[in-house]
Structures are given as structure tokens and as C-alpha cells.
Amino acid sequence: MNSRIEKRLGVKELASKIVSAAEAAALIENGTVVGMSGFTRAGDAKVVPEALAERAKNEPLKIDVYTGASLGPEVDNHLATVGAIRKRGPFIADAGIRNLINTGDVTYVDAHLSHNAELVRQGIIGPIKHLIIEAVAITEDGLIVPTNSVGNSPIFAQYAENIIIELNISHPESLIGIHDIYIPGEQGSREPIPMTDVQQRIGEIGIRVPLEKIQAIVISEEPDAPSLIVPADEETQTMANILLDFFRAEIKAGRLTNSLMPLQSGVGSVANAVLEGFTNSEFEDLVVASEVLQDAVFNLIDAGKVKFAAATSITLTEELQKKVYGNLEKYADKIVLRSQEISNHPELIRRLGLISINTALELDIYGNVNSTHVSGTKMMNGIGGSGDFARNARLGIFVTKSYAKGGAVSSIVPMVSHVDHTEHDVDVIVTEQGIADLRGLAPKERAKLIIENCVHPDFKDQIRDYFNRAIEATGGHQTPHILEEALSWHVNLAKNKTMKQEVPAQA
Ligand code: COA
């Protein structure tokens, strides 16, 4: 056995389980439920799914795939586009599988990411025939140490009949020790999760499994697919500045201190740019308690702004992958990776008082947010952890540019075409136009603030006109709407490729 492999394989008897990717892929039976490691293109198994995709070109093969969150191209593109995925959950972001979901060829179960573990415990997801998990090592005492994400792997490992390990020897050995694996017990007899501080370690450095469940080990050197976020532009920078000013006002009001509260920041370019905004600010000793650590978090650690960061995955652009993984020792005592059941746990989010910042696709004048469905019917990515955080956070903030598609679409509409986060879970809205602090406000008060502060000037008259007429039409109901018109902006977009309408001149 090659010495690089030997170093990572603490239980020497497991050497007999080493097989090729094709041999491991041949173990997966048609029609079964397969759990896979991976969360937002990080820590996913790669060579076995790729071999599975090859196999599916020559024989009937359809499986249900559950993961932590979105995976790289091997699964959410290659395996999906050969038609080998019947059902997929709980989050995707690749255009390949997105298209298949929107043509009805893949059944998709979009779910709060903290909920999956309970669904596995209750047998709603399952029986899980195989877990395919990427690991950086198997320790001498038999712990499987995941790579750049933990996701749902601990619960899958507990319930899966068989485990196939992709031992990825290209990941730095210094990943060993950054994980903190804690699996809550059964509901009904469960103890409180023993964490009162984000920096606390409550579990083990790897996933403990009965060794006889390990069916095969495949050696891999495939790197994670890099994250695809784009750098901040002028508008996202403006949104970051608006948010920082809001935090300053909260400090002045005595509700926050200069180190704020633990920060969660969502996936995507906008959320990353907003977090980057802290770099040249006066805030310090920040703590991140998120789901994904994107580029911004490591830049903030380097800038001395973030002192600790916890999440369930590390998803970086190519440039940051080189910087961070080439130098992981520097960050090792400042980061921890936990299962998504823990990183997104309502009990902890509420206890630790998180500030959560997520991105909306669209929102309405009363503060309801759509994060998932384009024009109400077409899946974008999924709700991810945004609901876990927004509902339970101390402060649930949503950011979005006020317009999309070159200005044809207003991100603020009379009524959202799909609801992911209700008005009750949305505290603050930020666009490049301004901010609406909705806390303690009734629907009509919220609408005025959102319209005046957050809507793009091109749509302001149009949305004011709708709101005023809705009040007139309902005689001042709690949440005024003209039902025949509430979704007319989306109808107009479908027919005329724009949400813009003629607004009659005021009498
Ligand atoms: N109507 C139609 N399309 C819209 C839109 C709207 N109101 N608002 C945005 N879009 C489109 C953009 O045009 C862009 O399309 P493109 O890829 O064809 O260019 C795409 O949606 C992404 O928008 P962008 O402005 O680039 O934002 P983003 O990369 O920050 O992603 C979400 C935004 C909402 C898709 C993303 O944050 C997401 O999936 N969120 C849900 C999950 C989540 O919040 N998880 C957080 C917990 S970690």
C-alpha cells in the first residue's frame, strides 16, 4: 500500500476493502435510496458517482439521492443528466439537475436542511441502502473523518445499511481535528444539545460507525468543484454599507455590541459580498455561526475581524481554495465543521441569538419572501437553511437587489408568487435602494416602509398605485390586496417579458 494511503487508513484491516470506483459503483442496486456526503459543492463523493453515471449509460439505473445540500457536477449534473436520479433532496444548485426538476424528470423534495435528520430517524427518508462518503482519513479508533463538509453524513452513517468511503488523499491532513460530530438522541428522551457558545466542542472529530458496515473504500484525489460566486459590485457594496449602518444604529440603541451576535450568512454572491463589507469596518471579534463558510469568512479571519467560524461546509472559489487549503493550519483553531442538524438547529440558533442574513429572489410589500421559485412555479435552488435560520434567529435579515433581469423584473412585488419565509419571520429587508426595519410593525406600516425605502425607482409609482388602490378596495383590511391583480406583475412578465405597466396619472 502506498504510504500516502497508509497514513490515512488508521484501521489496517480495512486495506482489504480497497476497490476501484467502478467496482464500488457496481454495488449500488437499481431503485435504492442512497445517501451521499456533500454540502454546497464541498466534501462530496466524486469518483464513485462518476463511475455510477458511466454504468447508467449502459444499464437501467435509477436511484433516490439524499445529501447534505447541493453537490458538484459529478452528481447534480453527470449522474442526473444520464437519467439515473429518480428523486433528489434536500437542496440543489446545478443547472443540469435544475432543468430536469423543471421538466418533471427528477422529483425534488425541497426541505429545511435541519429537518432531514429527523426524517431519517423516523424512516420517512429511507431505508438507506448505501452512504457514499468522502473522507480525509479513517482514524485508528475507527472514526470516519469527513473532508470539507459534514452535512447529513453522521445521520446517514447511523442508518445506512452499507458505507462506501471515498478516501480522498489530496485533501490536507490538517482537516483532521476540525470536525465536531455530535448526534442528538431520539426525540422524547433527548437531552438539550450541550452548547452555549459557538466555540464549544461537544462531539468527536469523526463519525463513529460499526466497521462491518464499511463495504468498500475507493482512493480518490479529485478536488472539490470550486464555488461559482462572483465578486461584489457597486450595488452589493451599497447593500453591505446599508447593513453596517443598521448594525451601528442597533449598537447605539443598546441592542448590540461592537462584536454583534454570531453571524449567519447565506449562499450566493450577494450574501458573500455583504459579509465582505465587514473587512474595512470598525466591527471586531466577530463570530460566524453559519451553514456555509464562503470566501468572505476566510478574508475576514485574515483581516482579524472574525475570531471564530462554525458551519457545516467550506465552499470556496478556486483562488481561495489554494489560499485556505494550502495553509489550513493557520485557520484550524478558528474553524469547526458540524453536522447540518447542529449548525442549523433551531434550539441553538435561538439560544445563541444569531443574526441571519439570507438572499431573497423576491419579496412582497408586506414582507413575505420567496427564495426558491421563479415566478411561483419554476425551481431555482431550494430553501436550504434560510428557513432554519430566519425563523429562529434574533434578527432575520433578507437582502436582494431591487430588480433582476436587467430591470425587467422588480424583486419587490404586490404578492410573492411563492412563500418560503412568511412576514412573521422577516425582520429587516435590504436592497441597494435602502433598508426597511419591519420589527414591531403592522402590515400596512411595513408596506409603506418597504415601498418608500427598498423598491427600485422604475417600479415605485406602480407599486404605490397598487397599494393605495388595495386599501381603497378593501376598506382598510389588515393586509389589503386586490386579488385579481395581486399576481398580475408575474402574468405581465410571462406575457410581455417585463413587470412594467402603465400607471394612470394621479387625478
Ligand atoms: N425573478 C426571476 N429571477 C430572479 C429574480 C426574480 N425576482 N431575482 C433573481 N433572479 C435570478 C437572477 O437573475 C440570477 O439569474 P441568472 O443565474 O440567470 O443570472 C439568479 O436568480 C441568481 O440571482 P443573484 O442575484 O445572482 O443572487 P445569488 O447568487 O445571491 O442567489 C438565491 C440568490 C436566492 C438564488 C440564493 O441565495 C438561494 O438559492 N437562496 C436560497 C437558499 C438559501 O438562502 N440558503 C441560505 C442558507 S445558507
Side-chain angles (χ1 to χ4, degrees):
M1 196 173 30
N2 140 353
S3 66
R4 286 174 72 208
I5 302 172
E6 206 167 345
K7 261 170 73 183
R8 304 290 181 96
L9 201 56
V11 182
K12 300 302 164 210
E13 309 83 78
L14 287 176
S16 64
K17 305 270 175 144
I18 297 176
V19 297
S20 70
E23 285 167 318
L27 298 169
I28 310 287
E29 290 159 38
N30 187 25
T32 54
V33 178
V34 179
M36 293 193 194
S37 67
F39 197 106
T40 50
R41 298 164 78 87
D44 41 358
K46 301 165 191 74
V47 295
V48 178
E50 203 66 88
L52 208 52
E54 279 307 308
R55 197 185 128 195
K57 288 178 187 166
N58 304 311
E59 61 177 285
L61 181 75
K62 259 196 198 297
I63 55 172
D64 292 1
V65 176
Y66 291 94
T67 59
S70 54
L71 299 190
E74 297 81 5
V75 172
D76 281 345
N77 199 305
H78 306 166
L79 193 63
T81 55
V82 293
I85 300 183
R86 186 187 76 91
K87 199 171 202 177
R88 177 79 174 89
F91 187 76
I92 58 100
D94 190 287
I97 195 159
R98 181 186 299 132
N99 293 339
L100 292 167
I101 290 167
N102 286 320
T103 53
D105 292 301
V106 170
T107 305
Y108 179 47
V109 188
D110 177 29
H112 293 301
L113 298 185
S114 75
H115 284 191
N116 303 136
E118 302 296 3
L119 295 180
V120 172
R121 281 191 188 95
Q122 292 166 32
I124 308 284
I125 294 177
I128 301 170
K129 187 79 182 170
H130 287 94
L131 163 64
I132 311 177
I133 176 174
E134 188 184 71
V136 65
I138 301 167
T139 63
E140 278 174 16
D141 56 345
L143 294 174
I144 301 175
V145 183
T147 57
N148 301 329
S149 73
V150 180
N152 275 319
S153 296
I155 197 74
F156 290 160
Q158 209 173 52
Y159 282 82
E161 197 181 314
N162 306 289
I163 298 175
I164 296 172
I165 298 174
E166 272 194 33
L167 189 62
N168 192 322
I169 54 174
S170 74
H171 285 292
E173 225 177 314
S174 43
L175 273 172
I176 302 168
I178 73 160
H179 308 88
D180 180 34
I181 309 296
Y182 173 91
I183 305 181
E186 291 285 331
Q187 284 174 329
S189 55
R190 180 181 294 176
E191 294 292 322
I193 300 168
M195 192 191 299
T196 52
D197 185 310
V198 179
Q199 299 186 47
Q200 224 170 326
R201 289 187 154 271
I202 58 171
E204 297 191 280
I205 62 156
I207 304 170
R208 195 167 287 285
V209 296
L211 292 183
E212 56 277 13
K213 270 196 189 185
I214 299 175
Q215 197 181 21
I217 298 174
V218 177
I219 307 302
S220 158
E221 298 203 47
E222 285 298 310
D224 283 343
S227 132
L228 301 172
I229 52 167
V230 296
D233 59 23
E234 203 178 312
E235 286 168 332
T236 45
Q237 191 57 53
T238 304
M239 285 151 72
N241 293 341
I242 291 170
L243 204 52
L244 295 187
D245 281 342
F246 168 74
F247 290 138
R248 289 180 185 113
E250 286 294 287
I251 293 170
K252 225 171 169 184
R255 285 189 284 268
L256 289 173
T257 68
N258 208 32
S259 49
L260 305 177
M261 294 295 273
L263 291 167
Q264 177 263 335
S265 155
V267 292
S269 307
V270 175
N272 188 63
V274 166
L275 215 52
E276 291 276 9
F278 281 102
T279 313
N280 297 314
S281 73
E282 72 281 26
F283 298 97
E284 52 193 15
D285 288 335
L286 298 170
V287 170
V288 171
S290 205
E291 180 182 281
V292 182
L293 304 181
Q294 300 194 121
D295 289 14
V297 172
F298 291 90
N299 292 334
L300 287 169
I301 292 177
D302 286 348
K305 292 288 171 194
V306 164
K307 66 172 183 185
F308 195 82
T312 194
S313 102
I314 302 174
T315 302
L316 303 172
T317 57
E318 210 162 354
E319 190 192 333
L320 263 283
Q321 279 188 351
K322 281 186 203 134
K323 177 170 126 171
V324 173
Y325 299 136
N327 207 2
L328 196 64
E329 299 77 15
K330 182 176 154 199
Y331 301 99
D333 64 338
K334 295 188 180 68
I335 52 175
V336 65
L337 291 183
R338 305 189 164 113
S339 72
Q340 69 198 69
E341 182 173 23
I342 298 298
S343 64
N344 291 26
H345 205 292
E347 176 187 332
L348 297 175
I349 294 167
R350 187 68 63 91
R351 181 183 299 154
L352 299 169
L354 264 56
I355 297 174
S356 119
I357 308 165
N358 289 290
T359 313
L361 269 185
E362 66 174 5
L363 56 102
D364 69 27
I365 53 174
Y366 298 114
N368 299 289
V369 167
N370 171 10
S371 295
T372 57
H373 284 71
V374 174
S375 283
T377 57
K378 220 170 144 190
M379 178 53 62
M380 179 54 133
N381 296 334
I383 193 165
S386 56
D388 293 325
F389 288 101
R391 162 65 61 91
N392 301 295
R394 172 191 175 106
L395 252 177
I397 300 169
F398 281 89
V399 295
T400 176
K401 288 189 186 179
S402 67
Y403 67 93
K405 302 293 168 204
V409 168
S410 171
S411 308
I412 300 169
V413 289
M415 183 185 263
V416 281
S417 54
H418 173 92
V419 193
D420 291 297
H421 313 288
T422 75
E423 52 177 323
H424 315 285
D425 298 333
V426 180
D427 294 320
V428 175
I429 285 165
V430 177
T431 71
E432 80 292 348
Q433 300 296 321
I435 185 165
D437 179 355
L438 308 179
R439 292 172 297 171
L441 299 186
K444 282 179 290 215
E445 295 175 312
R446 290 201 292 264
K448 280 184 195 143
L449 208 58
I450 293 172
I451 292 170
E452 294 316 317
N453 294 1
C454 299
V455 173
H456 192 275
D458 286 359
F459 291 97
K460 229 172 204 173
D461 286 346
Q462 191 176 320
I463 209 155
R464 270 193 203 119
D465 175 62
Y466 174 83
F467 178 55
N468 292 335
R469 285 187 296 108
I471 293 175
E472 242 172 68
T474 58
H477 286 181
Q478 170 77 354
T479 306
H481 268 303
I482 304 169
L483 293 179
E484 304 86 319
E485 254 186 65
L487 295 175
S488 65
W489 293 31
H490 301 87
V491 175
N492 191 22
L493 179 67
K495 279 190 187 152
N496 304 315
K497 302 210 176 329
T498 178
M499 284 186 172
K500 287 188 187 141
Q501 289 164 356
E502 284 294 311
V503 181
Q506 294 291 312

